[in-house]
Amino acid sequence: MSTLQRYKCLVIDDERHAIELLTDYIEAVPQLYLAKSYLDPVAALMESDSGERYDFIFLDVDMPRLSGIELARVLRPLTSFLVFTTAHPRYAVDAFDIRADHFLLKPIGMNKFALIVNELLKSREAASQRGGSPDSTFFIRSDQKNKLIRICFDEIIAVEGLKNYVQIYTPTQKHIAYLTMKETEDALRETTRFLRVHRSFIIAKNQITAVHGRTIRLKGGLEVPVGELYKKSFDTYIADNSLFSQR
């Protein structure tokens, strides 16, 4: 008889009744269990250094001292599914900008909670059967107010860091996202498709068409330098994926 797989949850909310409600909901779903909860977002931030991972993080947005949006930038790499919980719909754009998997508007009903959990778990199962990541896309906030743009991992050629934002190259256009290179690298690390080769460049491995010395040529004609700090890891990748005659 197969054992039911259970998924580890973390809840962060500055209102005790909100934590109690989500705790009840989590206990009502057989696949879930609550590992930890925090009333203080700063305490959650301090303990994030342990690197402990969760399957689900349910995170309030409007909290004192540290907002959920700020905290999510640290916690995003530690979870498969990040779900914002808030009474304020105006935070939806910020939530998707940080690649939240869902956005639950308070007051949260049990039916809505269960539907979203089921939807996310089904996406993970489908991705596992395909051998891919749970979500092959993410949203970025465009330079137009309240407009979000969906980016597919498969379409990314490279990401270039430009001071306070990054530029994402795709076959058809370039997109500006107000993210740091570290935030972008952490997000892309969930898949093995990308490689950082320079302080200012992350590239898609399958977009490499040629390597000439310390210069990488990508599809579409983009040329990217290999930085000294990243040369060893890039050389290792090339060596591991090269075929040479032994004669």
Side-chain angles (χ1 to χ4, degrees):
M1 184 173 66
S2 61
T3 302
L4 177 69
Q5 182 173 358
R6 304 188 71 207
Y7 298 92
K8 183 177 179 181
C9 301
L10 169 67
V11 175
I12 304 171
D13 198 303
D14 66 308
E15 297 179 338
R16 189 175 298 278
H17 70 86
I19 289 181
E20 291 172 351
L21 180 70
L22 286 174
T23 299
D24 288 343
Y25 288 174
I26 289 168
E27 290 177 351
V29 178
Q31 297 100 316
L32 305 183
Y33 72 95
L34 181 65
K36 284 183 183 178
S37 64
Y38 291 94
L39 276 166
D40 183 359
V42 175
L45 175 66
M46 298 300 291
E47 292 195 24
S48 68
D49 288 343
S50 68
E52 185 174 359
R53 290 191 57 85
Y54 300 88
D55 295 294
F56 286 87
I57 293 180
F58 298 97
L59 177 60
D60 186 24
V61 178
D62 194 11
M63 296 184 288
R65 297 202 290 166
L66 183 67
S67 78
I69 299 296
E70 295 171 304
L71 184 55
R73 297 187 188 280
V74 177
L75 298 181
R76 174 67 267 197
L78 302 180
T79 185
S80 298
F81 301 118
L82 175 65
V83 179
F84 278 107
T85 60
T86 180
H88 305 287
R90 67 179 182 273
Y91 291 122
V93 172
D94 292 323
F96 282 114
D97 198 25
I98 300 174
R99 297 183 61 252
D101 294 283
H102 234 295
F103 187 88
L104 280 169
L105 192 61
K106 296 178 178 179
I108 302 167
M110 177 64 204
N111 186 54
K112 182 66 172 176
F113 177 86
L115 283 173
I116 285 176
V117 167
N118 188 53
E119 176 186 320
L120 293 175
L121 290 178
K122 280 186 175 179
S123 75
R124 167 184 272 193
E125 182 180 349
S128 177
Q129 291 174 355
R130 295 192 308 267
S133 69
D135 189 358
S136 60
T137 68
F138 62 95
F139 289 92
I140 60 170
R141 185 167 50 190
S142 75
D143 53 4
Q144 297 180 37
K145 187 177 180 181
N146 295 329
K147 181 180 179 182
L148 298 172
I149 298 173
R150 183 189 292 272
I151 304 291
C152 296
F153 282 133
D154 288 339
E155 294 179 352
I156 298 175
I157 295 173
V159 178
E160 181 179 8
L162 300 169
K163 292 188 177 179
N164 298 322
Y165 57 92
V166 297
Q167 185 163 247
I168 301 172
Y169 294 84
T170 70
T172 57
Q173 55 189 311
K174 294 180 285 188
H175 301 283
I176 297 295
Y178 290 90
L179 299 166
T180 66
M181 281 293 280
K182 184 180 185 307
E183 290 167 341
T184 307
E185 185 177 23
D186 287 343
L188 297 181
R189 192 174 286 132
E190 294 183 14
T191 172
T192 59
R193 307 176 197 180
F194 300 94
L195 188 66
R196 186 147 185 191
V197 297
H198 190 276
R199 186 180 65 175
S200 300
F201 284 100
I202 299 168
I203 64 169
K205 296 173 183 176
N206 66 350
Q207 297 292 325
I208 300 173
T209 59
V211 179
H212 186 256
R214 298 283 288 273
T215 300
I216 305 166
R217 188 174 181 83
L218 303 168
K219 292 179 183 177
L222 181 65
E223 293 189 344
V224 171
V226 179
E228 186 63 38
L229 185 62
Y230 303 92
K231 184 178 183 301
K232 183 176 180 181
S233 61
F234 180 70
D235 288 347
T236 299
Y237 166 73
I238 292 298
D240 289 344
N241 291 275
S242 296
L243 181 63
F244 301 108
S245 172
Q246 300 301 312
R247 292 177 296 176

